[in-house]
Amino acid sequence: MNSRLTDGAGLPFPEGFRWGTATSAYQVEGATGADGRGESIWDRFCRVPGAIENGDTGDVACESYGRAEEQVRLMARLGTNAHRFSLAWPRIVPTGAGRVEPRGIAHYDRFIDLLLEHGISPLVTLYHWDLPQPLQDRGGWRARETAEAFAAYAGICFEAFGDRVRDWVTVNEPWIVGLLGHQLGLHAPGEKSLAGSVQAMHHLLLGHGLAVGALRAGRGAGREAARAGIAYSLFPHAPADPGSSADAAAAHASDGYVNRWFLDPVHGRGYPDDMLRHWEEAAGKLDFIQADDLETIGAGSDFIGVNYYTRRIVSAHEERSPGDGAWPWKVEPPQPGVPCTDLGWEIVPEELTALLLRLHEDYPGVPLMITENGGIFDDGPGEDGAVHDERRTRFLHAHLAAVHRALEAGAPVEGYFHWSLIDNFEWAMGYRPRFGLVHLDRTTGRRTVKDSGHWYARAARSGVVPPMR
Ligand code: IFM
């Protein structure tokens, strides 16, 4: 990388950098009843009146299950050399444990082959929130049994696809699963229990550790290079008043809740003491943590998956908030003058540089991958049929420049996966938010590569982020 080149000439990225897009099964596949797929917690949750905006569901989504070939051609048009997607657990093991569905395996076999034929390397997520409903009926992630079933399912996937897939994300965003799925009830399975959410987050980490064990056990079987990591939803933190020690303490505590509670144990340091104290006080005894769980969880992670969207500015507060971990703090609204996406998330790319450098410092030697980054910009086709989404292009440019700065400062960033390839099902918000590089017209199914997609293609093809005018 020639660091003397300025943005005027474009920003060159290292040889072998992975230029990717990201999706997840339930958000894009549709075809929820096809080929023996079992029911997932999202199929069930979408049927709860009022749970999802507009009554939307993932039944059809982007029809990616039936249009896999077209989807891969789209990626090839974008010039990307990598793609992150998730396997739907209920397609592979329809009831969560036990019988394997060969048609599910065949579908992903073909999808992986298609990617490879187009020179696109797969980064495969095993769990992106679509838990088989029968496991939920037995306690879901609150139950230890689910972590064990997850490891067995992971082993099936390593066996089936490990000859072509090197890199695996075990679990996507364990904090969000705990917060939205189990504490606030806004995501499937719709539970509202602080104690339950702490238990679920522990079992997600345990599932990761057990899956890593299964992956490593298979290394002798021709999968020596296999790697696994978690994709964390990481939020840099700042105190609302930099001069206030109470705000600084609140920001540090919130960082423990959102970031350190996950990163520390996976990297062999155990759960952070401040957080253990907090959970015991706010959520009760943590007696579901068994003697060697932390050793299993701490078996490690071969890379850190960074899902980065925005930051959290926190101020100290007298009262405990009912949500957000029952902490005495307040998350501040967007700061005046800071640009935001259409959902009101602050756009702060410089925080991404700082986050990557912090991870490099705190967990030295571990490769980093931006497994998600993106924003909601509600642009659609104009009269000329094109989608002139200049704000997304600027967002991309700013965040890739932030990654470039981190690389120059020595952070081992291996790739960038834009969330998302295509406008898709955004969970409780249904199809309203648009995150894609490709616009989806849900009435006609028509796909239109947005201007941001064309811009990203220039970067991905050349390995140089073009300057912005
Ligand atoms: O769409 C989600 C994705 O499933 C997980 N990470 C955040 C994205 C945008 O909200």
Side-chain angles (χ1 to χ4, degrees):
M1 183 170 50
N2 184 348
S3 57
R4 281 168 306 158
L5 284 179
T6 64
D7 198 10
L11 300 170
F13 275 63
E15 196 69 32
F17 190 79
R18 297 170 85 181
W19 300 89
T21 50
T23 60
S24 87
Y26 192 75
Q27 292 178 273
V28 300
E29 283 183 354
T32 47
D35 292 343
R37 176 187 177 280
E39 188 189 14
S40 84
I41 56 173
W42 273 93
D43 300 307
R44 183 72 67 93
F45 190 64
C46 286
R47 261 74 202 170
V48 175
I52 314 292
E53 264 184 46
N54 197 36
D56 288 341
T57 73
D59 289 359
V60 175
C62 312
E63 300 175 295
S64 303
Y65 188 78
R67 299 171 75 155
E69 208 159 331
E70 182 187 350
Q71 185 119 317
V72 175
R73 277 203 306 272
L74 208 48
M75 290 174 216
R77 271 182 73 194
L78 293 180
T80 48
N81 61 13
H83 180 56
R84 174 177 175 227
F85 66 99
S86 75
L87 306 175
W89 186 347
R91 287 197 194 281
I92 293 179
V93 187
T95 55
R99 192 183 67 80
V100 175
E101 172 53 64
R103 289 171 291 178
I105 300 273
H107 169 76
Y108 292 116
D109 253 338
R110 181 163 155 268
F111 188 63
I112 291 166
D113 286 346
L114 277 168
L115 288 172
L116 293 172
E117 278 161 26
H118 286 82
I120 299 169
S121 74
L123 170 60
V124 179
T125 307
L126 291 165
Y127 184 67
H128 201 124
W129 306 354
D130 43 0
L131 186 73
Q133 182 64 39
L135 289 179
Q136 184 60 41
D137 296 340
R138 298 201 291 276
W141 286 106
R142 281 181 290 102
R144 197 175 178 86
E145 176 200 338
T146 297
E148 286 154 6
F150 176 69
Y153 150 69
I156 292 162
C157 299
F158 298 148
E159 194 63 40
F161 312 119
D163 55 336
R164 287 152 293 156
V165 174
R166 182 190 64 164
D167 289 340
W168 301 86
V169 169
T170 52
V171 169
N172 186 66
E173 298 182 351
W175 179 57
I176 297 290
V177 176
L179 175 69
L180 298 186
H182 293 81
Q183 192 190 137
L184 301 180
L186 298 172
H187 277 190
E191 296 189 344
K192 292 186 187 166
S193 155
L194 185 62
S197 82
V198 184
Q199 208 163 346
M201 293 188 293
H202 176 69
H203 289 141
L204 282 155
L205 292 182
L206 183 63
H208 161 79
L210 292 170
V212 167
L215 185 70
R216 292 193 178 151
R219 275 189 177 159
R223 305 198 291 271
E224 281 70 22
R227 306 190 305 173
I230 292 181
Y232 306 90
S233 49
L234 297 176
F235 287 78
H237 280 75
D241 173 359
S244 152
S245 56
D247 286 2
H252 179 72
S254 176
D255 180 71
Y257 168 55
V258 175
N259 301 324
R260 287 179 290 117
W261 178 254
F262 304 95
L263 287 162
D264 278 5
V266 170
H267 292 280
R269 299 182 183 175
Y271 283 127
D273 288 340
D274 56 336
M275 281 304 302
L276 278 172
R277 277 195 303 277
H278 171 74
W279 284 139
E280 294 234 333
E281 195 191 305
K285 275 197 127 358
L286 307 179
D287 47 12
F288 50 84
I289 303 179
Q290 295 189 6
D292 36 13
D293 282 4
L294 283 158
E295 205 179 307
T296 305
I297 294 170
S301 178
D302 302 305
F303 57 86
I304 295 176
V306 178
N307 290 4
Y308 171 74
Y309 288 89
T310 190
R311 67 178 169 188
R312 273 160 71 99
I313 295 183
V314 176
S315 58
H317 209 253
E318 303 264 294
E319 279 168 36
R320 287 181 184 275
S321 59
D324 214 12
W327 283 95
W329 64 43
K330 178 169 167 248
V331 179
E332 297 292 328
Q335 301 299 289
V338 176
C340 287
T341 68
D342 284 347
L343 199 69
W345 294 355
E346 285 184 319
I347 302 174
V348 274
E350 60 280 11
E351 294 283 4
L352 176 57
T353 310
L355 172 64
L356 293 168
L357 294 177
R358 167 196 166 173
L359 292 169
H360 180 42
E361 195 179 317
D362 288 357
Y363 312 99
V366 185
L368 306 173
M369 222 144 13
I370 317 296
T371 34
E372 286 182 28
N373 171 242
I376 297 170
F377 299 104
D378 187 19
D379 302 298
E383 277 175 16
D384 58 358
V387 182
H388 301 303
D389 60 336
E390 195 188 330
R391 290 176 304 158
R392 185 181 312 280
T393 306
R394 291 197 176 279
F395 180 101
L396 261 168
H397 177 268
H399 286 82
L400 284 166
V403 175
H404 191 266
R405 279 193 294 280
L407 278 162
E408 284 195 312
V413 189
E414 293 188 352
Y416 174 91
F417 293 78
H418 191 72
W419 185 272
S420 177
L421 170 68
I422 185 166
D423 296 336
N424 60 47
F425 177 75
E426 179 56 21
W427 309 113
M429 287 184 274
Y431 293 93
R432 177 174 56 86
R434 291 187 178 271
F435 271 102
L437 293 168
V438 175
H439 179 272
L440 173 71
D441 180 328
R442 291 198 59 244
T443 314
T444 60
R446 186 183 162 82
R447 279 95 161 115
T448 307
V449 177
K450 301 179 187 177
D451 284 1
S452 58
H454 292 299
W455 182 91
Y456 190 51
R458 280 174 63 201
R461 285 215 177 87
S462 63
V464 176
V465 168
M468 287 298 293
R469 279 185 303 267

